[in-house]
Amino acid sequence: MAWPNIFQRGALLSQFSHHHVVVFLLTFFSYSLLHASRKTFSNVKVSISKQWTPSAFNKSIELPVEIWSSNHLFPSAEEATLFLGTLDTIFLFSYAVGLFISGIVGDRLNLRWVLSFGMCSSALVVFVFGTLTEWLHFYNKGLYCSLWIVNGLLQSSGWPCVVAVMGNWFGKAGRGVVFGLWSACASVGNILGACLASSVLQYGYEYAFLVTAAVQFAGGIIIFFGLLVSPEEIGLPGIEAEENFEDDSHRPLISGAENEDDAEPNYSIQEDKTITQVKAISFYQACCLPGVIAYSLAYACLKLVNYSFFFWLPFYLSNNFGWKEAEADKLSIWYDVGGIIGGTLQGFISDVLQKRAPVLALSLLLAVGSLVGYSRSPNDKSINALLMAVTGFFIGGPSNMISSAISADLGRQELIQGSTEALATVTGIVDGTGSIGAAVGQYLVSLIQDNLGWMWVFYFFILMVSVCPFCFF
């Protein structure tokens, strides 16, 4: 059984230096800030829709229609909602393309530079999109689309870089629980974004964009001067301590393979005079690694559902139950709370079992039931929050595992022959494929909701979640 290994791993984890803690926190909060700026857009959709369709919300008989239509961008709220969904799709498609590129770039350039540049540049674009256009009262569909394409490309630099840095500092010992806890960065970012947006929304939606953009820009500066991308930068040994464990955890964790004839290769990126560093593998070679395509396809279905909750949950709560936008923003936090707990607990269980696929499959099976239950939630905030947290546990948890721990497993397989210049590329492939699925999903969600209603949106989610387990078995 795996219990002896767990104790050994605990001993190894206790030897982590304060540098490991700093790297953990810096990468954690850097991606949290990126997600916070994304969450801002979903949290202020109702306010943006009202600003773009002023005549649809004209409650005054005294003022002429011309005054209310001065900001006129859409003739109806329905068309504004459809365009908001289109912006989500545009963002995710450009984000997906950027992930494939950023993964390759991250394996060839300094990860700190790439991450810092992406954070600071994205913050400037978010400021222009949500704040500057409102201050200037300049509303243009072409400009909005162009800015969101650029934002997607810039934000794509985040995930491949932070996963690669974490992979350089943390080996396979306890990877499930370490990465499970660390992957909560996206959910924490969602919570942070919701809190920041709701706190200043009363002054106008432009201030929500202003605050998150400013915080993200400051975070990018801190990353540039403070992040260490590998232990070797300060003379510490790499993660070769993992060789002390007799079994290679990657194969049983991912595919359940039983043949382990050779000694585990050196995954360290330490400089050794007797070892020549292997060059970064190509995009095609990364795609051919066992499990990469299978988990990428599964993640495409799962991220579609997870990001639909991310983009549309506050809007759904406000639109379906008539709750105030600020209240809906705060209530949506419970989905992310469930995802944080789910990712950490499921990562720990997969470490104990030394298998990840069965844990994911069981969670996704229960996710179907949670979606059915949440789709029938009554107009009660407490019950809705509870069902929302349960849904986040069974959907957000597996999503966090695939995008972090499993991506790290896939990027450090024996077939790579010790090359560490594959983590960002593999992570970019997995997350990029997932983002393509999510991009298609956001447009479909707005289309299904507009024509068939929210219940059919949940039927669509159930279908996507049901398909996931077949991809990695």
Side-chain angles (χ1 to χ4, degrees):
M1 186 63 181
W3 290 108
N5 277 347
I6 291 297
F7 291 116
Q8 288 178 334
R9 293 169 191 222
L12 182 60
L13 289 173
S14 66
Q15 298 175 8
F16 286 159
S17 67
H18 71 280
H19 295 292
H20 290 83
V21 177
V22 172
V23 168
F24 184 100
L25 293 176
L26 284 178
T27 53
F28 185 97
F29 284 107
S30 64
Y31 196 72
S32 294
L33 295 178
L34 287 169
H35 245 262
S37 66
R38 297 181 210 171
K39 184 65 173 175
T40 300
F41 179 64
S42 65
N43 285 342
V44 300
K45 279 183 175 178
V46 174
S47 296
I48 292 179
S49 179
K50 289 181 179 180
Q51 187 69 12
W52 288 349
T53 57
S55 58
F57 299 92
N58 183 4
K59 304 299 181 183
S60 174
I61 304 177
E62 300 176 359
L63 295 177
V65 177
E66 289 76 12
I67 295 179
W68 286 90
S69 299
S70 60
N71 302 342
H72 193 82
L73 192 62
F74 296 99
S76 66
E78 289 74 18
E79 290 192 25
T81 301
L82 190 61
F83 182 70
L84 290 171
T86 303
L87 284 178
D88 289 338
T89 303
I90 288 174
F91 172 84
L92 285 172
F93 266 122
S94 62
Y95 182 72
V97 173
L99 282 168
F100 294 121
I101 299 173
S102 297
I104 297 173
V105 172
D107 278 335
R108 288 159 174 80
L109 298 180
N110 190 296
L111 293 168
R112 181 176 64 253
W113 299 347
V114 178
L115 178 58
S116 178
F117 173 79
M119 292 181 66
C120 293
S121 301
S122 171
L124 293 175
V125 172
V126 169
F127 169 75
V128 174
F129 177 91
T131 305
L132 190 60
T133 55
E134 177 59 27
W135 283 350
L136 298 176
H137 298 291
F138 184 77
Y139 310 99
N140 183 275
K141 289 184 284 188
L143 176 64
Y144 287 132
C145 291
S146 300
L147 288 173
W148 235 219
I149 290 173
V150 175
N151 189 38
L153 293 172
L154 293 172
Q155 288 230 352
S156 68
S157 63
W159 193 247
C161 289
V162 294
V163 172
V165 172
M166 282 290 292
N168 289 343
W169 281 89
F170 296 89
K172 71 173 183 289
R175 176 174 286 156
V177 67
V178 171
F179 275 74
L181 180 62
W182 175 82
S183 63
C185 57
S187 298
V188 170
N190 295 342
I191 296 173
L192 178 62
C195 291
L196 290 175
S198 61
S199 64
V200 298
L201 192 57
Q202 57 183 321
Y203 305 109
Y205 74 83
E206 65 271 22
Y207 291 97
F209 285 102
L210 174 62
V211 170
T212 53
V215 174
Q216 180 180 309
F217 188 88
I221 299 299
I222 294 174
I223 289 297
F224 182 81
F225 291 102
L227 182 63
L228 297 172
V229 299
S230 67
E232 289 77 11
E233 287 191 355
I234 53 174
L236 291 177
I239 58 174
E240 70 277 1
E242 294 183 48
E243 290 180 326
N244 295 330
F245 298 111
E246 66 276 11
D247 296 323
D248 182 5
S249 67
H250 299 295
R251 290 187 179 181
L253 284 172
I254 297 176
S255 60
E258 299 179 354
N259 296 326
E260 298 294 334
D261 299 326
D262 301 326
E264 182 179 318
N266 180 15
Y267 294 126
S268 163
I269 57 172
Q270 65 177 353
E271 294 181 2
D272 193 323
K273 294 181 180 180
T274 62
I275 299 176
T276 302
Q277 174 129 0
V278 182
K279 294 182 180 180
I281 67 174
S282 67
F283 180 86
Y284 175 76
Q285 289 174 317
C287 289
C288 292
L289 291 173
V292 170
I293 296 299
Y295 276 97
S296 296
L297 294 176
Y299 193 50
C301 299
L302 188 57
K303 191 170 185 178
L304 183 155
V305 179
N306 196 42
Y307 260 54
S308 294
F309 273 90
F310 167 75
F311 280 118
W312 289 102
L313 187 54
F315 184 86
Y316 164 74
L317 296 174
S318 180
N319 181 267
N320 194 57
F321 297 109
W323 298 337
K324 294 181 179 179
E325 188 176 18
E327 294 177 343
D329 290 346
K330 293 179 180 178
L331 195 66
S332 66
I333 289 173
W334 288 102
Y335 179 83
D336 297 297
V337 171
I340 293 172
I341 300 173
T344 305
L345 182 59
Q346 292 167 34
F348 173 76
I349 294 174
S350 69
D351 278 343
V352 173
L353 299 178
Q354 292 193 0
K355 292 181 183 296
R356 306 212 195 278
V359 178
L360 292 175
L362 178 60
S363 179
L364 292 173
L365 178 63
L366 296 173
V368 173
S370 68
L371 283 170
V372 173
Y374 186 71
S375 66
R376 289 164 170 77
S377 173
N379 193 346
D380 183 282
K381 294 178 182 177
S382 299
I383 297 177
N384 192 285
L386 176 61
L387 294 175
M388 189 189 303
V390 173
T391 305
F393 182 94
F394 292 120
I395 294 179
S399 179
N400 289 345
M401 283 186 61
I402 293 177
S403 63
S404 59
I406 289 178
S407 293
D409 291 339
L410 295 170
R412 289 193 178 277
Q413 298 184 62
E414 184 179 356
L415 292 176
I416 304 177
Q417 297 179 345
S419 172
T420 59
E421 305 303 326
L423 263 175
T425 302
V426 171
T427 302
I429 292 172
V430 174
D431 204 17
T433 306
S435 295
I436 291 176
V440 174
Q442 301 325 296
Y443 184 76
L444 291 177
V445 165
S446 61
L447 200 61
I448 294 172
Q449 187 275 328
D450 189 47
N451 291 281
L452 300 174
W454 285 108
M455 186 56 66
W456 281 93
V457 173
F458 283 101
Y459 292 153
F460 176 57
F461 291 165
I462 291 171
L463 175 63
M464 291 296 99
V465 170
S466 302
V467 170
C468 291
F470 295 99
C471 296
F472 48 79
F473 272 120

